[in-house]
């Protein structure tokens, strides 16, 4: 009787465990995941939009695919399965066979890169080193392209086979991809200025006086201590004369000038940039400009002036370069300066250009025609008196200015490679400080180096000499 009760308790305890096991097996069956101990058969590669037929040596009772969005199937017979690739990706397929056997296949659906390779060969037949492969849900473009435009065309064609962001570019462009731009900026400025201004004053001992201040050559001020009057003279006055008769003094102040100036500006900047990147150059400086903010505080900003250059090269082929260049030449002009909060802010005279050209390695292009011719004529005179012939010159001030500027820019791009690993000579490598005897007695600025036979030292690089023909 006791043994029978213990057997009933064991049956009661084992029943829930068996029920849990059955529920777990049902859930695994519903989710399409095979139970532990299933047999791994291998991998299947399917092209998106195409199908393959899988034949089984045993009869298949049931088939399940984990992600039907990637691949789908049709069981055409107990031993044949028709599998279709829908989208790029990876999933698995489980087959239920007789006698409780399970088989798992990993299905990898990729893009149809065979058609892409064929079209690349038709459109770009010279690109023999480009490689195309499909990995997971991505198309990878690798190898080498002969030029940057061909690589861009290959990428554009590859993107038509894959969604946005599913194309990885691992290809590189053959040849030299560094561009050195040699620029010569030449500017000639010629200026001509003529001016004539006359001021006078007349004083007598009886207190009579007469003063002319046209053009600001003189200024009339009273001396507070003595009550007398004094005349201050501008620095622009370059001639004066004085006459006296009958206790009267007549003084004339003259500003007469004729100036002819010539300015030559030449800059030869050289820049190196990688294809597709920008480089800039500035030979000049910066001047401060006060800028007020909303709170009334004044901050300082700096504006550049001088010879500046900005260029962006793109290597199209082994001997073809596309280049966007923007040279600017500017200088300070204090004649048109602005005064603000005690600061004198000069204006900028600027001349520049921006262009895009294509040319071969070593070819040059010129930007010319940047001419400027300005003429300024100003005259100040007293009414009626300044219109009197001959004598009217004493009652008027006249200034004439003429400026002529011509700017020419020549740019030459070159494909360049890095220098040799050997140490490159510098201008300072051959400088030797003079000793006291050389500096004070001989008066030389550079000393002599006893370790060298001469100031410069060179070496032969590569093959040299002559060769005799073989007999």
């Amino acid at each position: 009787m006791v043994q029978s009760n213990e057997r009933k308790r064991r049956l009661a305890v084992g029943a829930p465990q068996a029920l849990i096991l059955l529920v777990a097996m049902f859930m695994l069956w519903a989710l399409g995941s095979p139970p532990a101990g299933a047999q791994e058969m291998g991998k299947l590669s399917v092209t998106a939009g195409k199908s393959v037929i899988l034949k089984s040596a045993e009869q298949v009772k049931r088939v399940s695919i984990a992600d039907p969005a990637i691949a789908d199937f049709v069981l055409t017979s107990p031993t044949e399965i028709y599998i279709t690739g829908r989208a790029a990706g990876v999933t698995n397929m489980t087959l239920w066979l007789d006698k409780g056997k399970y088989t798992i296949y990993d299905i990898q659906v990729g893009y149809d890169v065979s058609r892409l390779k064929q079209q690349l060969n038709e459109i770009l037949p010279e690109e023999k080193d480009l490689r195309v492969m499909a990995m997971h849900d991505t198309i990878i473009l690798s190898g080498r392209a002969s030029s940057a435009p061909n690589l861009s065309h290959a990428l554009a064609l590859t993107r038509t086979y894959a969604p946005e962001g599913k194309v990885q570019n691992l290809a590189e462009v053959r040849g030299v991809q560094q561009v050195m731009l040699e620029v010569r900026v030449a500017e000639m400025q010629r200026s001509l200025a003529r001016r004539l201004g006359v001021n006078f004053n007349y004083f007598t001992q009886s207190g009579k006086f007469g003063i002319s201040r046209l053009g600001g050559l003189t200024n009339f001020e009273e001396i507070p201590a003595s009550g007398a009057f004094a005349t201050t003279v501008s620095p622009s006055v370059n001639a004066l004369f004085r006459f006296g008769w009958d206790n009267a003094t007549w003084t004339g102040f003259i500003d007469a000038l004729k100036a002819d100036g010539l300015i030559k500006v030449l800059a030869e900047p050289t820049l190196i940039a990688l294809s597709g990147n920008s480089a800039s150059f500035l030979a000049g400086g910066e001047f401060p400009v006060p800028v007020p903010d909303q709170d009334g505080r004044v901050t300082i900003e700096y504006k550049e002036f001088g010879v500046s250059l900005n260029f962006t090269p793109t290597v199209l082929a082994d001997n073809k370069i596309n280049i966007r260049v923007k040279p600017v030449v500017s200088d300070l002009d204090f004649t048109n300066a602005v005064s603000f909060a005690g600061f004198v802010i000069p204006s900028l005279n600027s001349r520049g250009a921006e262009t895009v050209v294509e040319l071969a390695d070593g070819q040059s292009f010129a930007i010319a025609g940047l001419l400027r011719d300005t003429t300024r004529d100003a005259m100040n005179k007293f009414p009626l008196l300044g219109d009197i012939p001959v004598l009217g010159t004493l009652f008027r001030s006249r200034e004439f200015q003429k400026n002529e500027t011509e700017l020419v820019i020549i740019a030459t791009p070159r494909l360049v490679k890095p220098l040799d690993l050997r140490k490159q000579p510098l201008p300072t490598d051959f400088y030797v400080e003079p000793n006291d005897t050389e500096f004070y007695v001989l008066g030389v600025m550079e000393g002599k180096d006893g370790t060298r036979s001469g100031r410069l030292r060179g070496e032969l690089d590569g093959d040299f000499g002559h060769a005799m023909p073989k007999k």
Side-chain angles (χ1 to χ4, degrees):
M1 186 66 179
V2 176
Q3 294 179 355
S4 178
N5 291 335
E6 291 179 356
R7 183 180 180 183
K8 290 181 180 179
R9 283 197 299 268
R10 286 197 300 267
L11 291 175
V13 173
Q17 295 176 351
L19 181 60
I20 294 174
L21 181 59
L22 290 175
V23 172
M25 293 179 63
F26 177 77
M27 293 179 64
L28 290 174
W29 174 80
L31 294 175
S33 299
Q39 184 180 2
E40 182 83 17
M41 289 299 295
K43 298 181 180 179
L44 291 177
S45 296
V46 185
T47 302
K50 295 186 178 181
S51 302
V52 295
I53 297 177
L54 177 63
K55 293 185 177 181
S56 176
E58 302 181 22
Q59 291 187 356
V60 179
K61 293 185 175 181
R62 186 160 51 89
V63 182
S64 175
I65 291 183
D67 192 352
I70 296 178
D72 200 359
F73 74 95
V74 175
L75 190 59
T76 57
S77 69
T79 58
E80 288 186 353
I81 305 172
Y82 186 79
I83 304 173
T84 304
R86 289 189 171 183
V90 177
T91 184
N92 62 354
M93 180 179 63
T94 306
L95 307 180
W96 278 264
L97 308 175
D98 292 334
K99 300 179 181 179
K101 295 181 180 180
Y102 302 91
T103 303
I104 302 174
Y105 288 92
D106 286 338
I107 301 178
Q108 180 176 355
V109 181
Y111 297 103
D112 188 6
V113 294
S114 60
R115 294 178 55 196
L116 175 59
K117 292 178 182 179
Q118 181 181 359
Q119 293 185 358
L120 284 175
N121 187 39
E122 294 175 355
I123 298 176
L124 304 172
E126 68 277 8
E127 300 299 336
K128 303 296 184 181
D129 296 333
L130 278 179
R131 301 290 181 266
V132 180
M133 60 181 300
M135 181 176 294
H136 193 50
D137 59 345
T138 305
I139 297 180
I140 299 177
L141 192 64
S142 61
R144 287 188 174 186
S146 60
S147 63
N150 284 1
L151 180 58
S152 300
H153 296 161
L155 285 174
L157 183 60
T158 305
R159 291 190 180 100
T160 61
Y161 281 80
E164 184 70 24
K166 296 298 182 180
V167 177
Q168 297 296 328
N169 179 23
L170 301 181
E172 60 181 11
V173 181
R174 289 198 307 263
V176 180
Q177 297 299 309
Q178 293 184 132
V179 179
M180 179 180 68
L181 184 66
E182 299 175 352
V183 180
R184 300 184 65 190
V185 181
E187 182 184 17
M188 296 293 293
Q189 296 182 9
R190 181 181 295 275
S191 62
L192 176 64
R194 298 193 300 266
R195 67 174 186 262
L196 175 63
V198 178
N199 281 179
F200 65 88
N201 59 30
Y202 173 77
F203 289 98
T204 64
Q205 292 183 353
S206 61
K208 297 180 181 179
F209 65 90
I211 295 178
S212 169
R213 295 182 55 193
L214 189 66
L217 300 181
T218 60
N219 194 15
F220 185 63
E221 296 181 356
E222 181 180 1
I223 303 177
S226 60
F229 295 94
T231 302
T232 59
V233 183
S234 171
S236 60
V237 173
N238 49 33
L240 60 89
F241 58 90
R242 175 172 289 181
F243 300 99
W245 68 92
D246 295 336
N247 298 325
T249 302
W250 177 280
T251 305
F253 304 91
I254 299 177
D255 175 22
L257 179 66
K258 181 178 180 181
D260 190 0
L262 181 64
I263 301 176
K264 172 186 175 183
V265 178
L266 178 63
E268 296 184 1
T270 300
L271 293 177
I272 297 178
L274 194 63
S275 176
N277 297 324
S278 300
S280 59
F281 174 90
L282 174 64
E286 297 180 344
F287 66 96
V289 177
V291 178
D293 56 11
Q294 297 179 353
D295 299 332
R297 295 173 297 183
V298 178
T299 59
I300 300 298
E301 292 184 0
Y302 288 88
K303 301 294 183 180
E304 297 179 348
F305 70 94
V307 180
S308 64
L309 172 68
N310 187 296
F311 87 106
T312 304
T314 302
V315 179
L316 302 180
D318 294 339
N319 197 32
K320 196 173 184 181
I321 306 172
N322 175 284
I323 182 171
R324 177 186 295 273
V325 61
K326 181 180 180 182
V328 177
V329 178
S330 59
D331 55 354
L332 301 180
D333 183 10
F334 285 92
T335 59
N336 297 320
V338 177
S339 298
F340 173 77
F343 298 94
V344 179
I345 308 171
S347 61
L348 279 179
N349 292 328
S350 180
R351 291 162 302 281
E354 183 176 3
T355 183
V356 180
V357 295
E358 290 185 6
L359 64 169
D361 179 18
Q363 291 183 341
S364 301
F365 66 93
I367 303 174
L370 300 177
L371 305 177
R372 188 182 65 173
D373 190 350
T374 59
T375 302
R376 180 176 178 267
D377 191 359
M379 182 173 63
N380 298 321
K381 61 182 179 179
F382 288 105
L384 300 179
L385 297 178
D387 297 330
I388 299 175
V390 183
L391 293 179
T393 306
L394 301 176
F395 301 97
R396 62 175 177 253
S397 175
R398 187 165 186 175
E399 182 178 2
F400 175 81
Q401 291 183 355
K402 182 177 181 180
N403 295 320
E404 297 178 350
T405 301
E406 181 178 3
L407 180 64
V408 177
I409 302 170
I410 300 177
T412 305
R414 301 181 185 274
L415 296 174
V416 294
K417 296 180 180 180
L419 294 174
D420 198 351
L421 295 178
R422 282 180 285 176
K423 183 180 179 181
Q424 300 300 319
L426 299 175
T428 56
D429 292 344
F430 308 102
Y431 173 76
V432 179
E433 294 184 1
N435 54 33
D436 293 343
T437 303
E438 293 172 336
F439 183 75
Y440 292 107
V441 179
L442 300 179
V444 297
M445 301 297 295
E446 297 184 30
K448 295 182 179 179
D449 188 0
T451 61
R452 295 193 181 98
S453 59
R455 296 185 60 187
L456 297 179
R457 188 177 180 182
E459 296 179 357
L460 295 175
D461 186 8
D463 298 333
F464 60 94
H466 63 276
M468 297 296 295
K470 295 181 180 181
K471 296 182 179 180

